[in-house]
């Protein structure tokens, strides 16, 4: 592991902060030991009664913070914290604002390696328990697997949601949640902003796509419920997103405000089933979407700020009384209509409990405080959200076990049984869409020399290198002779010509595409390689829709992501060491007539 913290260091830090747990003996919250929910609620309410308005407001925020350490981040991270948050580190953030949660990001340098993450988590909990009213923090991240992963190797990485949808096994989804949850809990992360419950009925969706289990609401609901149960069996709060459904949009809510044009009846049929299933499975939290949904609320407020959607539908109609958390308040979709001081106030008035990562914490915090002072928000309204949040923390064991240990990290994270399970599950997701003249599986006799070309998109956390390199390495291990020629997502005419020249003398070409479009450069690359006369195997590295835009291939596989676990599984299928068993969880529309399906949901070949 990189930057591995010693066992002695982690255990020492745990011992040093463990004394703070003695503060619990002074807390009414030790009624949490009561055998019934009423008794536990009594203890939580007594704890809330001890808190000031500022402490209550702080508990509603979940914030980013830069650095690998709660008290000693690198200077560059201190500078970033001072610039964006007005504090030096996580401990100072907690002391000043009393935040109830922290969200980890790889770009914020929170997730270098498992032992470092565990140390950071313990430092954060120590800061929380050092407050006037000692409270553990709810540490969260986006560990969706596939395209969105914040904690990388040596943690166990699984196929992403659409790949899991192609596998179609609720048992596998539950296994993913159970194993991933156990590893997150071992490093101190007790809330995962996963699974994605959006039904991706729009192939042009720029923000969801392969993050969704698919386009069939019933199938998505089944997978969402299974993953929720898996995570929460491992004492990690699952979070279904993005309510009321982000699956049919061509606008990215990070940069704009999507409008969903489904009727109320279409919402009930298409978007609602996965959220209903998550609630029935006992999910702890649901994340809002920064989308306009006129059929559900004609005000044109984003759902995050909509009382008719969050209170009227999610709370009252669907009966959800868990934690509602916003999507990031730094996204443009929620900032277009109101100022950053008003957004958190309106979100709370709509029914939100947790306010996730506003761009300026002081502005958001002061906005809520002003609303309480003016009477726009009552202190009782704060208490209602705070009670839900504290119930979640208690249910996931944070009051009883706020700290993690080096032994737990070593025993759990990247365990061999976990890695084997991920490989086995991945092999059940690879989808064979075309196999003309029986090109696959490749033979080490007749296809010994292979050219690996195509897109090398930015690598998510679950990769050891770009796709062309990972594919070549895995094929070389199986006895093939490989030549690698990355051509990118926008290959130039010169790069296409070079790829065709490199194909001469090869037994086959494997070409990966990443979001290829009609008439695009990647399409021209595949067509040119096909015209060379060398057999071509096409891999859709992300969206399975790519096959509609390419020609000249002999075989085509959908991997749904370009992480190591999915690419290794694809290689085993290519070499005949595994059978393609995935089935399309979405329909692939024709390029010339998108209203017609080139391949329907459920399509997939095998051999």
């Amino acid at each position: 592991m990189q930057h591995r913290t010693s066992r002695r260091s982690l255990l020492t830090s745990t011992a040093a902060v463990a004394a703070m747990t003695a503060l619990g003996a002074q807390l009414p919250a030790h009624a949490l030991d009561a055998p019934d929910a009423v008794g536990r609620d009594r203890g939580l309410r007594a704890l809330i009664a001890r808190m000031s308005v500022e402490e209550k407001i702080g508990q509603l925020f979940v914030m980013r913070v830069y650095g690998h350490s709660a008290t000693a981040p690198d200077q560059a991270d201190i500078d970033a914290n001072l610039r964006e948050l007005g504090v030096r580190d996580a401990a100072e953030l907690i002391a000043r604002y009393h935040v109830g949660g922290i969200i980890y990001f790889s770009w914020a340098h929170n997730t270098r390696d498992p032992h470092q993450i565990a140390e950071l988590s313990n430092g954060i909990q120590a800061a929380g328990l050092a407050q006037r009213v000692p409270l553990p923090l709810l540490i969260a991240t986006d560990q969706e697997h596939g395209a969105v992963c914040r904690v990388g190797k040596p943690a166990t990485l699984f196929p992403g949601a659409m790949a899991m949808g192609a596998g179609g096994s609720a048992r596998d989804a539950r296994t993913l949640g159970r194993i991933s949850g156990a590893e997150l809990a071992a490093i101190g992360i007790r809330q995962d902003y996963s699974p994605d419950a959006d039904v991706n009925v729009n192939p042009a969706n720029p923000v969801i796509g392969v993050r969704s289990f698919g386009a069939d609401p019933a199938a998505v609901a089944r997978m969402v419920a299974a993953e929720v149960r898996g995570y929460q069996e491992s004492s990690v709060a699952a979070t279904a997103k993005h309510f009321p459904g982000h699956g049919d949009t061509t606008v990215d809510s990070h940069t704009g405000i999507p409008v969903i044009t489904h009727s109320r009846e279409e919402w009930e049929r298409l978007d609602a089933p996965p959220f209903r299933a998550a609630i029935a499975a006992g999910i702890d939290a649901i994340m809002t979407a920064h989308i306009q949904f006129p059929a559900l609320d004609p005000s044109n407020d984003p759902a995050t700020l909509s009382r008719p959607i969050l209170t009227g539908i999610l709370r009252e109609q669907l009966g959800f009384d868990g934690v509602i958390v916003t999507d990031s308040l730094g996204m443009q979709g929620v900032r277009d209509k109101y100022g950053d001081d008003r957004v958190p106030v309106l979100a709370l008035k709509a029914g939100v409990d947790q306010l996730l990562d506003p761009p300026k914490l002081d502005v958001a915090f002061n906005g809520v405080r002003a609303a309480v002072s003016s009477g726009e928000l009552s202190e009782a309204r704060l208490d209602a959200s705070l009670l839900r949040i504290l119930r979640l923390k208690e249910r996931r064991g944070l009051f009883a076990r706020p700290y993690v240990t080096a032994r737990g990290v070593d025993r759990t994270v990247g365990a061999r049984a976990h890695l084997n399970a991920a490989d086995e599950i991945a092999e059940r997701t690879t989808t064979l869409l075309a196999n003309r003249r029986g090109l696959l599986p490749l033979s080490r006799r007749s296809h010994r020399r292979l050219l690996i070309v195509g897109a090398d998109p930015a690598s998510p956390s679950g990769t050891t290198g770009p796709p062309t390199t990972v594919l070549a390495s895995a094929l070389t291990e199986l006895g093939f002779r490989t030549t690698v020629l990355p051509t990118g997502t926008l290959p130039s005419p010169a790069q296409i010509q070079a790829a065709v020249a490199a194909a001469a003398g090869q037994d086959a070409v494997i070409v990966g595409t990443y979001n290829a479009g009609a008439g695009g450069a990647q399409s021209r690359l595949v067509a040119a390689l096909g015209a060379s006369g060398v057999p071509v195997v096409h891999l859709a590295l992300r969206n399975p829709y790519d096959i509609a835009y390419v020609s000249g291939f002999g075989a085509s596989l959908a991997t749904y992501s370009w992480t190591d676990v999915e690419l290794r599984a694809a290689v085993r299928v290519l070499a005949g060491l595994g059978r393609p068993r995935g089935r399309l969880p979405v329909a692939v529309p024709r390029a010339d007539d998108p209203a017609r399906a080139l391949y329907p949901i459920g399509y997939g070949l095998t051999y």
Side-chain angles (χ1 to χ4, degrees), residues 10 113-123 186-188 404-406 409:
L10 185 59
D113 70 73
H115 282 266
Q116 168 269 316
I117 300 170
E119 288 273 13
L120 173 60
S121 298
N122 279 349
I187 55 178
V404 294
T405 66
V409 174

Side-chain angles (χ1 to χ4, degrees), residues 376-542:
E376 183 180 8
L377 285 173
S378 69
E379 194 167 348
R381 173 65 191 87
L382 303 183
D383 292 352
S385 283
L386 185 50
L387 180 60
R388 290 191 188 99
I389 293 166
L390 295 183
R391 281 173 180 161
L392 190 158
K393 292 182 180 183
E394 185 274 331
R395 188 161 56 247
R396 295 301 150 218
L398 279 166
F399 284 96
R401 300 177 304 280
Y403 303 112
V404 294
T405 66
R407 182 181 179 189
V409 174
D410 292 334
R411 183 175 59 237
T412 309
V413 179
R416 174 49 54 190
H418 294 177
L419 297 173
N420 289 343
D423 282 336
E424 291 168 6
I425 288 172
E427 203 165 287
R428 293 191 277 272
T429 69
T430 305
T431 307
L432 179 62
L433 298 178
N435 192 22
R436 296 160 188 164
R437 294 183 294 277
L439 174 57
L440 297 181
L442 299 175
S443 162
R444 274 160 289 192
R445 289 185 177 181
S446 54
H447 303 110
R448 183 171 179 80
R449 295 168 299 177
L450 301 176
L451 174 66
I452 316 296
V453 302
D456 272 345
S459 299
S461 294
T463 62
T464 54
T468 53
T469 302
V470 173
L471 289 166
S473 176
L475 286 162
T476 299
E477 289 176 8
L478 297 179
F480 293 92
R481 292 173 54 188
T482 61
T483 301
V484 176
L485 183 64
T487 51
T489 55
L490 291 170
S492 65
Q495 287 176 308
I496 293 173
Q497 185 177 6
V500 171
Q506 301 290 333
D507 297 318
V509 177
I510 298 173
V511 54
T513 61
Y514 181 89
N515 295 355
Q522 294 183 74
S523 301
R524 293 193 292 273
L525 169 66
V526 179
L529 289 168
S532 72
V534 179
V536 173
V537 179
H538 166 245
L539 297 184
L541 297 176
R542 183 167 181 149

Side-chain angles (χ1 to χ4, degrees), residues 67-438:
H68 70 285
S69 165
T71 56
D74 295 337
Q75 186 60 50
D77 292 323
I78 292 174
D79 294 341
N81 285 328
L82 289 170
R83 182 171 60 251
E84 295 184 20
L85 303 172
V87 299
R88 294 172 56 84
D89 52 40
E92 191 173 322
L93 174 69
I94 294 162
R96 180 175 299 183
Y97 288 104
H98 321 292
V99 296
I102 298 289
I103 179 172
Y104 285 171
F105 292 106
S106 51
W107 52 259
H109 311 135
N110 304 140
T111 57
R112 291 182 180 178
D113 70 73
H115 282 266
Q116 168 269 316
I117 300 170
E119 288 273 13
L120 173 60
S121 298
N122 279 349
I124 286 169
Q125 298 298 359
L129 293 176
Q131 299 178 99
R132 185 186 70 85
V133 179
L135 286 171
L137 276 82
L138 190 59
I139 298 171
T141 198
D142 293 284
Q143 192 78 348
E144 296 179 18
H145 296 275
V148 178
C149 242
R150 309 303 187 199
V151 179
K153 292 175 176 292
T156 303
L157 286 308
F158 284 87
M162 191 169 285
M164 296 297 292
S169 168
R171 180 178 180 179
D172 284 349
R174 192 165 184 166
T175 298
L176 180 157
R178 179 177 51 79
I179 290 176
S180 182
E183 296 197 7
L184 291 175
I187 55 178
I189 298 172
R190 303 303 281 273
Q191 183 172 19
D192 190 8
Y193 296 140
S194 185
D196 192 305
D198 300 309
V199 181
N200 198 75
V201 296
N202 191 335
N205 195 322
V207 65
I208 304 300
V210 295
R211 298 168 63 194
S212 163
F213 287 107
D216 178 351
V220 173
R222 186 165 53 88
M223 299 297 281
V224 165
E227 211 164 279
V228 166
R229 291 188 177 99
Y231 275 112
Q232 296 189 176
E233 285 167 356
S234 292
S235 289
V236 167
T239 309
K241 58 189 184 186
H242 307 81
F243 190 82
H246 209 314
D248 189 4
T249 175
T250 57
V251 175
D252 186 342
S253 51
H254 290 83
T255 56
I257 178 77
V259 179
I260 308 296
T261 59
H262 292 179
S263 67
R264 178 62 183 257
E265 292 72 22
E266 287 173 321
W267 177 79
E268 292 279 3
R269 177 171 55 85
L270 293 173
D271 303 291
F275 293 102
R276 291 185 185 274
I279 293 167
I283 193 164
D284 282 338
I286 291 178
M287 178 179 284
T288 69
H290 304 326
I291 57 174
Q292 292 175 351
F293 211 128
L296 304 184
D297 181 357
S299 73
N300 288 329
D301 279 343
T304 297
L305 309 182
S306 168
R307 186 169 180 82
I309 291 175
L310 298 187
T311 296
I313 295 177
L314 183 53
R315 290 274 190 231
E316 296 173 359
Q317 180 184 328
L318 301 188
F320 179 64
D321 194 38
V323 170
I324 299 177
V325 56
T326 71
D327 205 344
S328 169
L329 297 183
M331 294 166 61
Q332 201 59 42
V334 78
R335 300 176 72 193
D336 269 356
K337 195 172 178 181
Y338 301 101
D340 289 337
D341 60 331
R342 293 296 297 160
V343 166
V345 174
L346 295 174
L348 291 170
K349 292 176 71 174
V352 158
D353 301 303
Q354 285 185 315
L355 301 161
L356 178 60
D357 201 26
K360 296 290 185 180
L361 178 56
D362 58 342
V363 172
F365 187 98
N366 290 332
V368 175
R369 182 163 53 186
V372 175
S373 297
S374 71
E376 183 180 8
L377 285 173
S378 69
E379 194 167 348
R381 173 65 191 87
L382 303 183
D383 292 352
S385 283
L386 185 50
L387 180 60
R388 290 191 188 99
I389 293 166
L390 295 183
R391 281 173 180 161
L392 190 158
K393 292 182 180 183
E394 185 274 331
R395 188 161 56 247
R396 295 301 150 218
L398 279 166
F399 284 96
R401 300 177 304 280
Y403 303 112
V404 294
T405 66
R407 182 181 179 189
V409 174
D410 292 334
R411 183 175 59 237
T412 309
V413 179
R416 174 49 54 190
H418 294 177
L419 297 173
N420 289 343
D423 282 336
E424 291 168 6
I425 288 172
E427 203 165 287
R428 293 191 277 272
T429 69
T430 305
T431 307
L432 179 62
L433 298 178
N435 192 22
R436 296 160 188 164
R437 294 183 294 277

